[in-house]
Amino acid sequence: TFDPDVEVTIKGLVCQLCAVGLKKSFAKHINVKGLKIDTEKGILSLEYWGIASPPSEIKEIVKKSGYEVASIKCK
């Protein structure tokens, strides 16, 4: 069962093609257990093994993928 630890609202995330780059970037991180992207809402949901990445690291990964974080909600 997917149970996200963090929800990231991303500016400009509007299509599945956009989501591919983000998925690849976050999949490289060893502590990411799973992720889902809702392009209609522009939300990236992340589930972690153990400790979640700090917001600053999440923002940096999103920025390197060509997007900007609007908000981050942690559980």
Side-chain angles (χ1 to χ4, degrees), residues 2 7-10 12-16 19 22-23 35-45:
F2 183 73
E7 286 191 349
V8 185
T9 304
I10 300 174
L13 181 63
V14 295
C15 69
Q16 289 300 320
L22 279 170
K23 283 182 181 179
L35 62 91
K36 288 188 179 177
I37 298 178
D38 182 339
T39 54
E40 288 182 22
K41 296 179 182 176
I43 295 176
L44 165 67
S45 300

Side-chain angles (χ1 to χ4, degrees), residues 35-66:
L35 62 91
K36 288 188 179 177
I37 298 178
D38 182 339
T39 54
E40 288 182 22
K41 296 179 182 176
I43 295 176
L44 165 67
S45 300
L46 297 163
E47 182 178 18
Y48 286 92
W49 297 104
I51 300 171
S53 297
S56 59
E57 184 178 348
I58 293 170
K59 286 180 182 178
E60 187 62 30
I61 295 168
V62 171
K63 185 177 178 182
K64 285 182 179 179
S65 296

